[in-house]
Amino acid sequence: MFVANRMAKNPVTVTPDVSLDEAATLMKKGHFRRLPVVDAGKLVGFFSDRDLMRVAPSPATTLSRYEERSLLDKMTVRDVMVKNVITVDEDATLEEAALIMYNHKIGGLPVLSSVGAVVGVITETDIFKAFVDVMGLQEGKERLTVHTNNKVGVVADIADIFREQGVSMDSFVTSPNGDGTYDLIIRGDILDVEGMKAKIEAAGYEVVHTAKIG
């Protein structure tokens, strides 16, 4: 999976001199939380609702609504935007984008083309949606979790059992446990879950969990 296939394309952008009130209105109308800031076609900042909250009057303020809006209208995006923007290329993998967000503890990234133009925004919500799709969580598939040691041939053994039973694997994820063992998380249209479990355990593997989610 690539960022280009999962990002929000052609995002709304603002210039640095746009007022905070105008930027807030754009985000509210568009139902999004982040705005790339562009000047002369180049990305110069990233503005989010979190930046707005940092400078917005406290709920305990004695200012009237008019005074609050007047205050925000005097400040510009340039005053509060993130200037050292962390970005990702549109041809990067979704895993790369997820790792960047995880390492920097941020919830979204502007996406740049090969010539540096802003072509999208990828967020943690897009990552979650991709995870749901990859795992087939909305399709109501049976889920098996197989616990195993790290050894050569495990995937082939499990795949052979599924093939012999005439069952396709819709998703197959390997999850390391940190102690040298792995959990294999498999989803598919498994009509006889107990029978499949027995076949896998007869091959020397432990089925630690079965469920149907979705």
Side-chain angles (χ1 to χ4, degrees), residues 70-97:
S70 179
L71 176 63
L72 293 180
D73 202 43
K74 291 177 181 177
M75 299 182 68
T76 66
V77 167
R78 187 193 311 274
D79 297 323
V80 297
M81 69 183 187
V82 173
K83 296 181 175 66
N84 297 319
V85 188
I86 300 169
T87 64
V88 67
D89 295 335
E90 63 178 331
D91 58 356
T93 65
L94 206 60
E95 300 96 300
E96 290 176 83

Side-chain angles (χ1 to χ4, degrees), residues 12-37 46-53 55 69 72-81:
V12 174
T13 64
V14 292
T15 57
D17 57 353
V18 164
S19 72
L20 294 189
D21 187 53
E22 185 178 348
T25 299
L26 282 173
M27 289 194 291
K28 184 176 181 179
K29 286 184 176 179
H31 303 289
F32 43 77
R33 298 169 53 195
R34 299 170 180 86
L35 286 168
V37 185
F46 204 33
F47 176 78
S48 71
D49 56 356
R50 181 175 294 183
D51 299 317
L52 182 64
M53 290 171 61
V55 296
R69 292 184 67 88
L72 293 180
D73 202 43
K74 291 177 181 177
M75 299 182 68
T76 66
V77 167
R78 187 193 311 274
D79 297 323
V80 297
M81 69 183 187

Side-chain angles (χ1 to χ4, degrees), residues 27 165 173 199:
M27 289 194 291
Q165 299 302 306
V173 177
K199 290 285 186 181

